[in-house]
Amino acid sequence: MSATIKVFMLLGVFCTVVGFIYGYVTDFEELAGFPALLAVAAMSFMLVVYLWLVQRSTGGALPEDREDGEIVEMSGEYGAFSPWSWWPLLLGIGCALFVTALAIGWWIIGLAAPVAILGLLGLIFEHSRGEHAH
């Protein structure tokens, strides 16, 4: 993970430097590129902090950082996924309607919010009742 941390750190520093150069060249009047580059830098630094904390909590080098690391060492459970769940589709439709509202008109948010909230609540409480309850 140390190589990944270095890559994201390099990306964050690069985007910060290029963002301020871009802002200086455009006299900080062009409000698309400068904030976008700073946002990419901020997200890169957030990933650096997260990966550093994970590396510190795991207590050393992960298999992908060692020369003798094997693929089988990283095998294991990657998450719990609901079989035959329709809630992510409903949540995705609600989010798509929200993005459509940004492009077309704000009144569509009135349609998007209930759909997205219903999909989110269904996804959260899916394992609380029914066939997959635990």
Side-chain angles (χ1 to χ4, degrees), residues 71-90:
I71 294 174
V72 74
E73 292 181 68
M74 284 302 295
S75 64
E77 187 174 324
Y78 284 104
F81 303 100
S82 304
W84 306 104
S85 177
W86 288 92
W87 295 112
L89 178 65
L90 191 63

Side-chain angles (χ1 to χ4, degrees), residues 8 11-20 22 30-48:
F8 280 114
L11 178 65
V13 170
F14 174 77
C15 286
T16 302
V17 170
V18 169
F20 279 105
Y22 184 82
E30 199 271 316
L31 295 177
F34 174 66
L37 285 167
L38 292 184
V40 171
M43 288 185 272
S44 297
F45 290 133
M46 285 191 305
L47 282 170
V48 166

Side-chain angles (χ1 to χ4, degrees), residues 31-120:
L31 295 177
F34 174 66
L37 285 167
L38 292 184
V40 171
M43 288 185 272
S44 297
F45 290 133
M46 285 191 305
L47 282 170
V48 166
V49 170
Y50 170 75
L51 291 173
W52 176 73
L53 289 172
V54 168
Q55 182 181 19
R56 192 176 71 170
S57 69
T58 56
L62 295 176
E64 61 261 24
D65 291 329
R66 296 191 329 255
E67 291 290 330
D68 61 340
E70 295 290 330
I71 294 174
V72 74
E73 292 181 68
M74 284 302 295
S75 64
E77 187 174 324
Y78 284 104
F81 303 100
S82 304
W84 306 104
S85 177
W86 288 92
W87 295 112
L89 178 65
L90 191 63
L91 181 61
I93 290 170
C95 292
L97 282 172
F98 182 78
V99 171
T100 303
L102 296 176
I104 295 176
W106 290 101
W107 62 272
I108 300 176
I109 290 180
L111 301 172
V115 174
I117 290 171
L118 181 66
L120 183 63

